[in-house]
Amino acid sequence: MPVMKDLIDLHTHTTASDGSVPPAQLVAQAKALGLEALAVTDHDTTAGLDEALAAGRDSGLEVIAGVEISVAGPNGGSLHMVGLFVDHRAPALAEGLARLQQARAQRNPKIVANFRELGIDLTLEEVRGFAGGGQVGRPHFAQALAARGVVSHPDEAFRRYLAPGRPAYAPKFRFEPAEAMAMLKAAAGVPILAHPGVLKLRWAELERLIAQLRGQGLEGVEAYHSDHSAADQGRLLGLARRLGLVVSGGSDFHGAPKPKVRLGVGKGKLRVPAGLLPHLRERARRIRLR
Ligand code: AMP
Ligand code: FE
Ligand code: FE
Ligand code: ZN
């Protein structure tokens, strides 16, 4: 019995990046839940989109093509930029993502070497076994360490080894926000700042950052997200209205790697209204017609 009347989820991950659910299965879960639309937004890759879009057509669920790109952020940190309604065959986007794949291919052996120096002999093959055939990232190193019993939980692997400043960390190339937003728009995508509340900036700083990004091409903010408090959500909705930004939202579902976050409802209270969709579609149309 569908329970999710007039609700959508515009931020989800599959096995193409660090999620545990394959694209077609994710679409089936969204359909069973009764969601009105699902966006697939894997980290730095569109490799899951053809399967997801085909499953959407077969099941009659609206599937929106998306991607989530990590870009350079304040104080050496990173920001996540979600693009919605992307044409994943557009050369500008495909080439940009290819560059990120290349950056990963160079970085993963460095992480392996860092572990070796720590006396932990992981192999890339072993780590790849946790990636479900998709792109290999730090979450898969974390899962491999947990499986070996080196840590009791993948989160511990980040805290002890994989987070920036920890001994197995290796940096990787990142685009500047303006470059990533231009890439997304060249592929007809709507660039949206993902989960601004997760940045843990003071509100005045976050407001300044979002206004600055808007000057560089930002079109929307993700006000609804599993890790946002009611206050975050309310403030972001107000800011979007003041700055003329479009609003998006999603659970950031990953499946097993983030077991507390469920599709559609996040940690239980998330509700992303389907009423956002016409505004997002209109923004996408304007970007296409530029
Ligand atoms: P990568 O793109 O390979 O650098 O991995 C980044 C991904 O790792 C993020 O998208 C998160 O899903 C996950 N991640 C980053 N930091 C942490 C953390 N402290 N604990 C758990 N997962 C994390
Ligand atoms: Fe992730
Ligand atoms: Fe993210
Ligand atoms: Zn995400």
Side-chain angles (χ1 to χ4, degrees), residues 67-247:
V67 63
E68 180 178 24
I69 303 178
S70 303
V71 301
N75 318 318
S78 73
L79 300 175
H80 290 182
M81 202 61 73
V82 160
L84 294 180
F85 301 99
V86 297
D87 169 5
H88 56 298
R89 289 188 229 289
L93 180 60
E95 284 159 20
L97 296 180
R99 184 153 176 210
L100 296 178
Q101 297 306 315
Q102 196 188 353
R104 278 181 189 279
Q106 288 166 354
R107 175 215 216 185
N108 286 333
K110 287 186 193 152
I111 299 180
V112 170
N114 291 345
F115 276 117
R116 189 154 303 145
E117 276 188 34
L118 294 165
I120 301 168
D121 281 305
L122 282 178
T123 66
L124 206 43
E125 279 318 301
E126 178 184 350
V127 174
R128 215 172 259 132
F130 292 88
Q135 138 187 295
V136 178
R138 286 181 293 155
H140 308 111
F141 281 90
Q143 287 164 43
L145 288 177
R148 278 190 174 209
V150 174
V151 294
S152 56
H153 190 276
D155 287 345
E156 188 191 338
F158 272 92
R159 278 197 303 277
R160 280 174 58 188
Y161 300 111
L162 289 162
R166 304 308 301 160
Y169 180 75
K172 106 175 159 308
F173 165 79
R174 281 186 299 220
F175 286 109
E176 290 300 317
E179 295 175 299
M181 292 189 284
M183 248 161 67
L184 291 169
K185 284 184 166 179
V190 182
I192 292 160
L193 182 64
H195 43 67
V198 173
L199 294 169
K200 300 288 174 222
L201 295 174
R202 309 228 318 260
W203 175 247
E205 285 175 73
L206 185 57
E207 255 185 319
R208 221 174 303 130
L209 173 68
I210 292 174
Q212 185 194 345
L213 290 170
R214 180 174 170 275
Q216 300 176 356
L218 187 72
E219 297 283 342
V221 288
E222 194 171 67
Y224 302 89
H225 186 272
S226 299
D227 293 327
H228 282 179
S229 64
D232 290 332
Q233 183 177 304
R235 281 195 291 235
L236 287 164
L237 289 172
L239 183 64
R241 182 182 288 267
R242 287 200 300 283
L243 294 181
L245 293 167
V246 76
V247 171

Side-chain angles (χ1 to χ4, degrees), residues 13 17-18 43 68 139 252 254 258:
H13 297 267
S17 66
D18 58 346
H43 297 287
E68 180 178 24
D252 213 346
H254 282 68
K258 293 187 183 174

